[in-house]
Amino acid sequence: MNEAVAERLSRIARLQDLLGEDKFKAISHDRAARVIEGLSIDIATIADDPAKLRAIEGIGPKIADKIAEFARTGKMSELVELEAKVPPGVLALMNIPGLGPKTVATLWKEGGVTDLASLKRIIADGTILKLPRMGAKSVEKLKESIDLAEQGSARLPLGLAAPVAERFVAAMTDVKGVKQVAFAGSLRRGRETIGDIDILVAAADGDAAHVAEAFRAMPGVAQVLVAGEKKSSVRARIAPGSARFSVEGRSGDAEVGPTVQVDLRVVPPQSWGAALMYFTGSKEFNIRLRERSLKMGLTLNEYGLFPEDDDKTPPQQRGIKPVASETEEEIFHALRLAYIPPEMREDRGEIDRAEQASAGAKSKAAKHAAAPVEGLIELADIKAELHAHTTASDGRMSIEELARNARERGFHTIAVTDHSKSSVIANGLSAERLRDHVAAIHAARKKVKGIHILAGSEVDILADGSLDYDQATLELLDVVVASPHNALSQDPATATKRLLRAIESGLVHILGHPTGRLINRRAGLSPDMAKIVDAAKANDVALEINAHWMRLDLRDTHIRAAVDAGCLIAIDCDVHAADDFDNLRFGVQTARRGWLPAEQCINTWSAQRLIGWLKRD
Ligand code: DGT
Ligand code: CA
Ligand code: CA
Ligand code: ZN
């Protein structure tokens, strides 16, 4: 309840400020909000005891009354009264960075602004300049702040959030008193987009304040949103240029704002595992796990797994010793579950699987080694890249450069798969150019040893499902990736027929980025995935997980369907430049979200097995 109470008290303070009421009233509400947010007990447990409430520094009798009222009724009547005096859109304006209560009051009372839309209107028509303290310069700044606030609401692609988080984690590691540091939340679970970044630090109570301060002072912090000891929030800059991407011969910027929210929580070292588990989520997973704990006579929170009793005060505040708390492994084990990897924690049946795996293991050692998915794929399992472009189409490396890069990464095989003729913007190859290209690939084998260089193509699947080269041309190749690139707004029935035709052609090894979606930009095709998966299985065609952070196509739920059907999967970087190999981890995380065992992914096979499969013998 602490967060709910704190939020309401600070809303009261902001409304008092806005209405020009006694400044000290607002300050005391704000202060109480901050104290309550940082409280280590749940205020609900003492809400009906005025003496205990007032014993907390910063809570006077009036605020104690409001807390008691909220605990009883779920409302604070003062807040209701204040809110009746102010249009709802006006309060929201105070969330725009740089817009304080005085300015908002002026905009509202003298400029007639009631929400963001009307504010933008008076900026656009220039009438804002007639208001007191509104010069050209301050309006310019205001416009920037509005952009920041508006763009900041979009979810950030995984590939853009990861480097920001890793920078914070690396920098926090060096702060004095920091015992452990990791990112949690949707980023640790490898979701394709990230709402905000959650960083977790373990530090002794005495170090919490300066650790939090160091976090808020990190380079790249554009704005501090919350400055508490246990919880801080900032907006951090996304490195300029990192949102640039290039696909299909076109480049652009991902639809992201200049900053991303980063939350920091500082937790005691002995609660590390419980906190990491709690803040990794997902929320739905946490709820399920808590239910399971209760059935076992235990209670699970971000401080640990404790014996359950009827006492309302949380166990960690009563000095109760947790059953497990220091590591996630201990907690899973105490709950009689196999360790569930973060990517699987989505309440999609993983807890049942972890229970079965643990129950099936007989010895203690076997229980610790048990896994909900046997042989779940890992980054190190990938030994081949089967979708890569060179300067012959829209790539930046020559065949030899590409092959050397792949070899350096420890791959045993690289497939050269440039675009086909209909991908005009990507400089797709005519059948004739392709023949010369195949000869060049064969020649490169003599120059770059120690890696298998396959001659292939990323052949367009045209709108009707036919392939962009004839059979004789395709049969010259070691590997054929077939992908949809145009007509991506086709209706689902047509899209299904189109992809089925390609899968059933008998000429295709891998279906490349099957839907063609681009994250936050275009939805791509919505074929009947059950049919696609069945056909792929029947025709021994692998479905691709394209590892580019703008694609991640197939997506997690589709992968899961493919895995269940026993369909083969390829994970490829769709390499255009050397850096693109680095996207592999996002593809692998997405695969793990779809429960893919390494065995079912053709990129993990030995060269002999892979090449044998490609030859179809
Ligand atoms: P996001 O940021 O929208 O991409 O998704 P998450 O999963 O990172 O969510 P976030 O940042 O709101 O919270 C981080 C984790 O904290 C979340 O995965 C689970 C935990 N959590 C947050 N709120 C609740 C809650 O109300 N109940 C429970 N059980 N867990 C929560
Ligand atoms: Ca988050
Ligand atoms: Ca968060
Ligand atoms: Zn493509």
Side-chain angles (χ1 to χ4, degrees), residues 444-458:
R445 289 177 184 163
K446 302 210 174 69
K447 299 247 180 74
V448 187
K449 305 279 185 184
I451 184 161
H452 298 277
I453 308 174
L454 305 183
S457 169
E458 182 186 17

Side-chain angles (χ1 to χ4, degrees), residues 327-593:
T327 67
E328 287 186 330
E329 285 79 359
E330 280 169 37
I331 299 170
F332 279 120
H333 193 64
L335 290 171
R336 285 188 232 121
L337 295 172
Y339 178 84
I340 301 174
E343 294 91 341
M344 291 180 67
R345 301 182 196 168
E346 296 289 349
D347 187 24
R348 292 174 181 163
E350 65 278 9
I351 295 178
D352 288 346
R353 289 280 292 256
E355 180 181 71
Q356 289 154 19
S358 172
K362 292 299 162 232
S363 69
K364 211 172 167 189
K367 281 200 195 298
H368 279 287
V373 168
E374 206 55 59
L376 185 67
I377 192 160
E378 292 172 20
L379 188 56
D381 293 327
I382 304 283
K383 298 285 182 228
E385 170 63 49
L386 300 172
H387 182 169
H389 301 266
T390 68
T391 47
S393 63
D394 62 347
R396 292 215 223 112
M397 292 182 283
S398 68
I399 299 165
E400 288 172 33
E401 282 172 315
L402 174 67
R404 286 202 183 89
N405 261 283
R407 191 181 57 191
E408 255 167 51
R409 294 189 184 243
F411 292 164
H412 59 56
T413 300
I414 176 78
V416 180
T417 60
D418 278 296
H419 286 286
S420 63
K421 59 180 193 288
S422 291
S423 279
V424 178
I425 307 165
N427 192 24
L429 277 62
S430 66
E432 201 187 332
R433 277 183 69 209
L434 178 62
R435 276 196 188 84
D436 293 344
H437 195 42
V438 170
I441 293 165
H442 291 167
R445 289 177 184 163
K446 302 210 174 69
K447 299 247 180 74
V448 187
K449 305 279 185 184
I451 184 161
H452 298 277
I453 308 174
L454 305 183
S457 169
E458 182 186 17
V459 60
D460 271 29
I461 303 173
L462 304 176
D464 65 356
S466 60
L467 300 173
D468 203 18
Y469 292 127
D470 61 23
Q471 178 166 353
T473 308
L474 290 171
E475 281 175 350
L476 291 174
L477 302 171
D478 303 320
V479 53
V480 175
V481 179
S483 317
H485 288 116
N486 59 359
L488 294 176
S489 32
Q490 265 173 348
D491 66 88
T494 314
T496 307
K497 259 173 62 188
R498 174 189 191 178
L499 297 183
L500 287 179
R501 187 170 163 197
I503 291 169
E504 288 161 358
S505 67
L507 299 167
V508 169
H509 298 102
I510 298 169
L511 187 66
H513 48 73
T515 75
R517 67 102 173 242
L518 292 178
I519 286 171
N520 291 356
R521 174 162 298 208
R522 76 178 177 216
L525 302 173
S526 321
D528 181 335
M529 262 307 158
K531 285 195 180 137
I532 301 300
V533 159
D534 287 345
K537 163 87 180 144
N539 290 275
D540 208 16
V541 167
L543 299 178
E544 180 183 78
I545 302 170
N546 192 295
H548 196 290
W549 49 266
M550 276 297 281
R551 293 195 184 275
L552 296 179
D553 168 26
L554 293 178
R555 64 178 62 185
D556 54 6
T557 49
H558 292 160
I559 297 164
R560 179 77 183 279
V563 167
D564 287 347
C567 188
L568 291 175
I569 296 285
I571 305 178
D572 286 313
C573 291
D574 196 348
V575 177
H576 286 76
D579 287 354
D580 292 341
F581 280 110
D582 297 333
N583 287 327
L584 186 56
R585 58 186 180 136
F586 306 125
V588 171
Q589 272 201 299
T590 305
R592 288 164 68 84
R593 292 178 59 80

Side-chain angles (χ1 to χ4, degrees), residues 104-177:
V104 173
T106 310
L107 289 168
W108 168 37
K109 288 182 183 149
E110 299 182 40
V113 168
T114 53
D115 54 16
L116 186 59
S118 51
L119 173 58
K120 280 165 99 178
R121 227 175 294 130
I122 68 161
I123 292 176
D125 67 17
T127 52
I128 190 168
L129 291 165
K130 297 192 188 115
L131 297 176
R133 286 177 293 118
M134 277 295 168
K137 222 172 159 186
S138 46
V139 171
E140 202 44 51
K141 263 190 99 174
L142 180 56
K143 269 200 322 215
E144 273 171 30
S145 300
I146 293 174
D147 284 350
L148 200 93
E150 284 191 321
Q151 296 171 330
S153 59
R155 295 181 63 85
L156 192 63
L158 175 63
L160 298 184
V164 177
E166 280 154 0
R167 216 174 58 220
F168 272 93
V169 168
M172 289 306 292
T173 311
D174 298 332
V175 174
K176 201 174 143 271

Side-chain angles (χ1 to χ4, degrees), residues 185 195-198 231 233 261-263 265 279:
D196 64 13
I197 295 171
D198 301 282
K231 186 188 167 189
S233 280
Q261 182 171 328
V262 185
D263 289 347
R265 265 129 184 145
F279 291 111

Side-chain angles (χ1 to χ4, degrees), residues 56 69 124 202 287 360 417 468 593 609:
I56 298 171
E69 185 198 1
I287 291 168
T417 60
D468 203 18
R593 292 178 59 80
R609 182 172 178 198

